[in-house]
Amino acid sequence: AIGAVVLDSYMKWYRVKSYYVHEPIALASLQGSTLPHDRWVYILFSSFVEFVVYLIGIVIATKVVTSITPKKIASESAEKETVFIKYNYLLMAVIVSFFGKLGALLMVIWDYHMIYRTLINLFVLLSNVTAVKTFLHTNSVRAGLIVLLALSLRVVVQLFFFAFDTSLLLTII
């Protein structure tokens, strides 16, 4: 989990460094300088908050989607009983599915175009859908809906940080 946050913050920092436009920010007094290499703590903090909100969004979206259409299974006595979801295992499966962020390590060594950041994030989102689908034993549409709802909460948090610092370059994927 820590690795995913650190690699995400590196990709954000790299993007800020690549497309940096000198603009004063609302939190400049809290951050010191507005140079991109001096803002790594703020970027790390925003990545951490986005990651936590994304995981909370996975849990909330799972509760919402499963409450709309609860999945029933037949027990040995042919009675129907509700499947209980172990949310801590679901979150562990989603965290493990962030292994695609390791692709950002290549950005540390070689200078890649920023399209690779989008491809890495898209791969991670597809891995998250696969993890949710596999853990919940559901179809791809429901798993995709859960990840999409969690991603929308993450975008709301990004909009909040973007309101204070427009140089973070708002990204959906």
Side-chain angles (χ1 to χ4, degrees), residues 74-168:
S75 64
E76 294 175 12
S77 64
E79 296 177 11
K80 302 277 185 171
E81 65 182 53
T82 305
V83 175
F84 293 101
I85 299 170
K86 295 183 179 180
Y87 291 101
N88 56 339
Y89 291 143
L90 173 64
L91 290 180
M92 283 191 284
V94 171
I95 289 170
V96 168
S97 71
F98 273 90
F99 70 92
K101 291 281 185 186
L102 292 174
L105 290 176
L106 297 175
M107 294 176 72
V108 174
I109 301 168
W110 294 288
D111 190 20
Y112 284 111
H113 192 269
M114 288 310 297
I115 190 72
Y116 292 109
R117 178 188 188 275
T118 304
L119 292 175
I120 288 170
N121 287 334
L122 185 62
F123 178 75
V124 168
L125 282 177
L126 291 175
S127 297
N128 291 341
V129 170
T130 303
V132 169
K133 176 184 171 186
T134 304
F135 184 80
L136 296 177
H137 303 291
T138 187
N139 59 16
S140 298
V141 174
R142 285 179 66 178
L145 181 63
I146 290 169
V147 171
L148 187 65
L149 289 172
L151 183 65
S152 63
L153 284 177
R154 183 179 180 186
V155 169
V156 168
V157 171
Q158 281 185 2
L159 285 171
F160 174 76
F161 283 113
F162 186 72
F164 291 106
D165 184 5
T166 58
S167 68
L168 279 184

Side-chain angles (χ1 to χ4, degrees), residues 14-42:
Y14 187 79
R15 186 170 182 182
V16 168
K17 183 182 80 121
S18 299
Y19 298 112
Y20 180 67
V21 176
H22 182 70
E23 292 181 15
I25 59 173
L27 298 177
S29 61
L30 297 175
Q31 297 175 358
S33 175
T34 59
L35 297 174
H37 59 272
D38 290 340
R39 300 171 58 202
W40 61 272
V41 173
Y42 180 70

Side-chain angles (χ1 to χ4, degrees), residues 5-64:
V5 171
V6 169
L7 291 172
D8 185 55
S9 65
Y10 173 75
M11 289 193 303
K12 285 182 181 181
W13 175 83
Y14 187 79
R15 186 170 182 182
V16 168
K17 183 182 80 121
S18 299
Y19 298 112
Y20 180 67
V21 176
H22 182 70
E23 292 181 15
I25 59 173
L27 298 177
S29 61
L30 297 175
Q31 297 175 358
S33 175
T34 59
L35 297 174
H37 59 272
D38 290 340
R39 300 171 58 202
W40 61 272
V41 173
Y42 180 70
I43 294 172
L44 182 66
F45 175 72
S46 69
S47 292
F48 175 75
V49 171
E50 287 174 20
F51 184 75
V52 169
V53 166
Y54 181 75
L55 292 179
I56 292 170
I58 290 284
V59 171
I60 293 171
T62 302
K63 287 183 180 186
V64 168

